[in-house]
Amino acid sequence: MKIIMLGAPGAGKGTQAKMIADKYQIPHVSTGDIFRANIKNGTELGKKAKTYMDAGELVPDELTVDLLMDRISQPDCANGYVLDGFPRTIPQAECLEKALEERQEAVDFAIDVEVPDDSIIKRMSGRRACLNCGATYHIVHIPTKVEGICDRCGSPLVLRDDDRPETVKNRLAVYHQQTRPLIDFYSSRKVLHEVDGTQSMEKVFADIVKVLGE
Ligand code: ADP
Ligand code: AMP
């Protein structure tokens, strides 16, 4: 099962992708997490990516596409995966489609998690992220058991540099300009399914399971 998560930054793609990965036993592949791991480890890629990420811009396709293609060629992706944060541009979607076509494969489901922009700004300022294991929480909606500490791995949580309100506004503008056109792209491939992302995370997940099947 090859699944793509679509939706604005902060719509809940990562939250849902982790739940999908657990239920269907497929890897959760997040390009944002891969970049953040590179930043944490001080790699050249991390240094390059950070300048774009901190400004709320997209990392250029040249740095992103090969990285993602390498990841989905790993043995653990043989039975499928859930992509979170990729593709984010039409050229990225075309590269993915071409690479899959070469193996007589295609994306099975593109799940669009819909949340209006005004709710997004509130969600992002309350998001707290674990840079160690990739878990995300919300200070009001999805709190941790101990404030500021990751439930999963015990590491301290941070407000991501790119979740500050000034940067979020630019990320939303970039989303509407460069990523939103993917809705039409996947609709024309007949794999698009929209879910209402303003509901509780459990309800959003139940709607996704209706699409993917038990
Ligand atoms: P994305 O991966 O799309 O950027 P996240 O999954 O990180 O978004 O979610 C953004 C923020 O909103 C996080 O703080 C997360 O805990 C919170 N969140 C996710 N789903 C919901 C929901 N259904 N209701 C309220 N808050 C949510
Ligand atoms: P995310 O964790 O998905 O919110 O991504 C955080 C940031 O990483 C984005 O704002 C971009 O700067 C960068 N990024 C992640 N995925 C991609 C992608 N597919 N293409 C370009 N930039 C990306």
Side-chain angles (χ1 to χ4, degrees), residues 34 49-50 58 72 79 100 159 161 171 212:
I34 298 174
K50 189 173 175 14
L58 295 184
I72 62 174
N79 290 327
L100 291 177
L159 171 67
D161 288 339
R171 292 173 70 196
L212 301 179

Side-chain angles (χ1 to χ4, degrees), residues 8-16 84 123-124 126-128 136-138 141-142 197-201 204:
K13 301 181 297 295
T15 303
Q16 297 299 325
D84 159 20
R123 277 200 189 177
M124 306 284 260
R127 170 156 66 182
R128 294 295 178 271
T136 45
Y137 304 91
H138 189 280
H141 305 300
I142 305 172
T198 63
Q199 311 172 91
S200 71
M201 71 173 187
V204 178

Side-chain angles (χ1 to χ4, degrees), residues 10 15 25 29-30 44 47 52 72 74 99 113 120 126 128 141 161 191 195 200:
T15 303
Q25 292 294 299
V29 176
S30 155
E44 273 312 305
K47 282 179 201 147
Y52 298 98
I72 62 174
Q74 303 293 315
V113 184
I120 294 284
R128 294 295 178 271
H141 305 300
D161 288 339
V191 293
V195 296
S200 71

